[in-house]
Amino acid sequence: MLARLRNPWTDHRAERTLGAVSLLVCLFVILMVAFVAVRAWPTFEHNGLSWLGPGGSLKVQFENMLDAPTHPPASAYHLRAWPIIYGTLLITSLAVLLALPLAVLSAIFIVELAPTRLRRTMIRVVRLLASVPSVIWGLLGILVLVPFVGNHLITNSERISLEGTVQLTGAGLAVAVVLLTLMISPIMIALICDALGTVPGAWREGAAALGVNRLRAIRAVTLRAVRPAIVAATVLATARALGEAIMISMVSGSVFFSPRPSDGVAFLFEPVRTLASTIVDFREGLGGAPALNSTLYAFALLLLFSVFVLSLAGYLVKLPLRKYQVRG
């Protein structure tokens, strides 16, 4: 058997083996989605799609689920999850909007402008940052950013103005967005750097021969060539941000509250909760609370569906950009 594995594989054998592995992966993904959908079905059965909207106190609804018996009545499944859906969209969109220009500009500097030795060092550092566990970012947030925001950025007037609504402790939207931006930026930078490295040097030389300055050549030639990679990096980073749970749970305040832009600057410091962090926060209720069990699976199914839609949208956006793509 070992001797047979050591022998060089024929193209037909390699094709069949890789095809079988791909089919197994696809089957595993389908089974996972089906398992989550079956567990989430009671929530959809009792609420339809109305659970995606606003209405009532989400805190009270979760308490009712926790207190429900083993065979809960239909009322125990009542859910209106808009506050945490809104929190998920808010944190993810702000983090991606901040990370995208940061990643593009950093990648341009690393590949196009930095000296060779500095470029190699920075690429290694970026890849190292991309592999840092999320719990480390959360720990830095709790020990450094949250106390700093709570002690130096939040004013007494802001605390008093929201005293009857929510407590401002420093853990909230701003800290979560900053840390999430720092988490997803290295992923985007690494992907864009790899794409910039594949742009033929002759393209840059041709632009220079036409009298185009370096920065304009980067904008008109290099960035145009790697736009599909920028889209792919954005999609991957957004999916990563949507599913982030541990760090968000640690630094966001973990309160069922929808930050209100009408509150002014205090809006940035208000606590928030996301779909993924809610699953982590209430994971202990998965065993003995069927209504809560189904609700958390519904959140997981919504996240899976969001990632699918995001991937499909990224594919459709990249279609008209294929003519600019670098082909190796």
Side-chain angles (χ1 to χ4, degrees), residues 105 107-116 118-119 214-215 218:
L105 294 176
I108 289 174
F109 173 77
I110 293 172
V111 177
E112 300 287 344
L113 303 176
T116 302
L118 178 61
R119 180 189 310 130
R214 190 172 186 181
L215 292 179
I218 292 173

Side-chain angles (χ1 to χ4, degrees), residues 23-135:
L23 289 176
L24 285 175
V25 172
C26 292
L27 179 61
F28 174 78
V29 172
I30 293 173
L31 291 176
M32 178 184 67
V33 174
F35 175 81
V36 173
V38 169
R39 294 298 184 96
W41 174 248
T43 296
F44 288 91
E45 183 181 13
H46 293 90
N47 296 281
L49 294 179
S50 61
W51 69 273
L52 301 174
S57 171
L58 194 55
K59 179 181 179 181
V60 173
Q61 294 165 16
F62 267 73
E63 290 175 351
N64 292 336
M65 293 178 192
L66 285 169
D67 296 335
T70 305
H71 300 286
S75 59
Y77 289 93
H78 178 73
L79 176 69
R80 295 296 182 267
W82 173 248
I84 54 178
I85 295 175
Y86 169 71
T88 303
L89 295 175
L90 185 62
I91 289 180
T92 301
S93 58
L94 289 177
V96 172
L97 287 175
L98 290 175
L100 181 57
L102 177 64
V104 172
L105 294 176
S106 299
I108 289 174
F109 173 77
I110 293 172
V111 177
E112 300 287 344
L113 303 176
T116 302
R117 182 176 298 178
L118 178 61
R119 180 189 310 130
R120 293 174 180 172
T121 302
M122 292 187 69
I123 288 177
R124 293 190 182 98
V125 171
V126 166
R127 290 175 177 171
L128 178 63
L129 290 175
S131 63
V132 173
S134 59
V135 68

Side-chain angles (χ1 to χ4, degrees), residues 78-200:
H78 178 73
L79 176 69
R80 295 296 182 267
W82 173 248
I84 54 178
I85 295 175
Y86 169 71
T88 303
L89 295 175
L90 185 62
I91 289 180
T92 301
S93 58
L94 289 177
V96 172
L97 287 175
L98 290 175
L100 181 57
L102 177 64
V104 172
L105 294 176
S106 299
I108 289 174
F109 173 77
I110 293 172
V111 177
E112 300 287 344
L113 303 176
T116 302
R117 182 176 298 178
L118 178 61
R119 180 189 310 130
R120 293 174 180 172
T121 302
M122 292 187 69
I123 288 177
R124 293 190 182 98
V125 171
V126 166
R127 290 175 177 171
L128 178 63
L129 290 175
S131 63
V132 173
S134 59
V135 68
I136 303 299
W137 292 107
L139 186 63
L140 292 175
I142 288 179
L143 297 180
V144 180
L145 287 183
V146 170
F148 175 79
V149 172
N151 297 330
H152 300 287
L153 298 185
I154 300 177
T155 63
N156 289 330
S157 61
E158 290 170 345
R159 285 193 174 92
I160 294 173
S161 64
L162 296 173
E163 188 174 6
T165 305
V166 71
Q167 185 178 3
L168 301 182
T169 63
L173 178 64
V175 175
V177 169
V178 168
L179 288 177
L180 192 57
T181 301
L182 294 176
M183 285 180 61
I184 65 177
S185 293
I187 300 173
M188 301 176 71
I189 294 172
L191 292 174
I192 297 174
C193 282
D194 290 341
L196 288 173
T198 63
V199 177

Side-chain angles (χ1 to χ4, degrees), residues 212-232:
V212 180
N213 63 57
R214 190 172 186 181
L215 292 179
R216 187 176 178 185
I218 292 173
R219 180 178 62 83
V221 177
T222 308
L223 281 182
R224 185 180 292 268
V226 300
R227 282 192 295 181
I230 295 176
V231 173

Side-chain angles (χ1 to χ4, degrees), residues 246 249 277-288 292-293 296:
I246 299 298
S249 177
S277 66
T278 303
I279 295 175
V280 171
D281 292 338
F282 289 90
R283 64 191 181 279
E284 295 180 358
L286 285 174
L292 180 60
N293 190 351
L296 297 184

